[in-house]
């Protein structure tokens, strides 16, 4: 009498199938994990680049917002000159648009400054009594502000020092401001604009 063969896997065959399946899953999960890590790295890089673009735009807008006055148009105890140094820029501004530093239309004294925070060199801004804002982390190496009235010769300091009232040229003033650090060079123009923006009615007709 013949016995019928039993259908199905033997124990050894089942173990082989499970082992092969486990190896396949391990490979798939390994590839998935690496792909996920790569995706996260790309995402973080994109976010960092976007944050830097926003910060660069804010720096440019702040420089353009500087209320730069010709020295001969200053009124005592009212107007304060811009004070530009290698690590700090302080000036009166009228914000042309909203930034991380201040809302659109804000007027007052604003400071851009390069400082050490947590072992890093960072660019910060502070508008009046508002809290200091961290704009961006700067690359390791020398970083600073420089200034030029012609876009050719650059100096590490600038001040539109007031002249005696009514003396000196009343022509518009242009100032290029540069923020430099390894891998980044921001150049933007601050200008006094046309005379109607800074000449005031006065006894001498000039101020």
């Amino acid at each position: 009498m013949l016995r019928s063969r039993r259908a199905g896997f033997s124990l050894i065959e089942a173990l082989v199938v499970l082992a092969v399946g486990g190896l396949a899953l391990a490979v798939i999960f390994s590839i998935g994990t690496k792909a996920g890590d790569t995706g996260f790295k790309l995402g973080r890089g994109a976010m960092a680049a976007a944050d830097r673009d926003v910060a660069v735009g804010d720096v440019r807008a702040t420089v353009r917002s500087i209320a730069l006055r010709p020295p001969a148009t200053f009124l005592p105890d009212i107007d304060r000159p811009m004070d530009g140094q290698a690590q700090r820029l302080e000036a009166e501004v009228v914000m042309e648009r909203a930034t991380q530093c201040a809302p659109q239309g804000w007027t007052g004294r604003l400071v851009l400054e390069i400082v050490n925070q947590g072992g890093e060199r960072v660019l910060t801004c502070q508008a009046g009594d508002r809290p200091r804002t961290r704009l961006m982390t700067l690359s390791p190496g020398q970083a600073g502000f420089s200034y030029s009235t012609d876009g050719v010769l650059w100096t590490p300091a600038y001040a539109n020092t007031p002249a005696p009232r009514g003396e000196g040229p009343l022509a518009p003033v242009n100032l290029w401001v540069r923020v430099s650090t390894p891998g980044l060079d921001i150049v933007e123009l601050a200008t006094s604009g046309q005379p109607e923006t800074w000449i005031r009615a006065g006894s001498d007709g000039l101020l």
Side-chain angles (χ1 to χ4, degrees):
M1 193 172 175
L2 296 176
R3 293 184 179 179
S4 60
R5 297 189 62 185
R6 183 171 56 86
F9 292 107
S10 68
L11 178 59
I12 294 177
E13 290 172 334
L15 291 175
V16 170
V17 171
L18 290 174
V20 172
L23 288 173
L25 289 174
V27 171
I28 291 172
F29 281 123
S30 175
I31 293 174
T33 301
K34 291 180 180 178
D37 290 343
T38 301
F40 282 125
K41 288 179 181 178
L42 291 174
R44 285 193 295 267
M47 289 296 293
D51 289 343
R52 172 155 289 201
D53 285 345
V54 169
V56 169
D58 285 352
V59 172
R60 291 186 181 279
T62 299
V63 172
R64 291 194 301 267
S65 299
I66 293 175
L68 193 66
R69 297 186 64 83
T73 66
F74 279 80
L75 289 180
D77 303 323
I78 295 179
D79 299 315
R80 297 174 63 187
M82 170 182 165
D83 181 16
Q85 302 296 327
Q87 301 295 304
R88 176 186 173 93
L89 186 163
E90 182 176 354
E92 301 291 328
V93 302
V94 179
M95 297 304 295
E96 67 171 26
R97 68 168 179 82
T99 68
Q100 298 177 73
C101 303
Q104 182 178 7
W106 183 88
T107 62
R109 198 75 172 173
L110 185 142
V111 177
L112 290 173
E113 189 172 14
I114 298 172
V115 299
N116 290 316
Q117 283 186 359
E120 296 178 320
R121 296 285 282 167
V122 299
L123 178 62
T124 66
C125 68
Q126 184 172 16
D129 295 331
R130 291 171 172 268
R132 175 178 289 186
T133 300
R134 176 174 176 151
L135 290 178
M136 72 173 76
T137 301
L138 302 176
S139 302
Q142 187 174 4
F145 295 97
S146 54
Y147 311 89
S148 175
T149 56
D150 59 9
V152 178
L153 299 177
W154 295 86
T155 61
Y158 173 84
N160 54 335
T161 306
R165 186 174 179 179
E167 295 183 11
L170 292 176
V173 177
N174 294 321
L175 178 70
W176 282 265
V177 179
R178 166 177 273 163
V179 185
S180 299
T181 186
L184 180 67
D185 192 27
I186 308 171
V187 180
E188 190 55 77
L189 177 66
T191 179
S192 62
Q194 297 304 310
E196 59 268 19
T197 64
W198 38 262
I199 289 184
R200 301 185 179 98
S203 59
D204 55 13
L206 293 177
L207 301 175

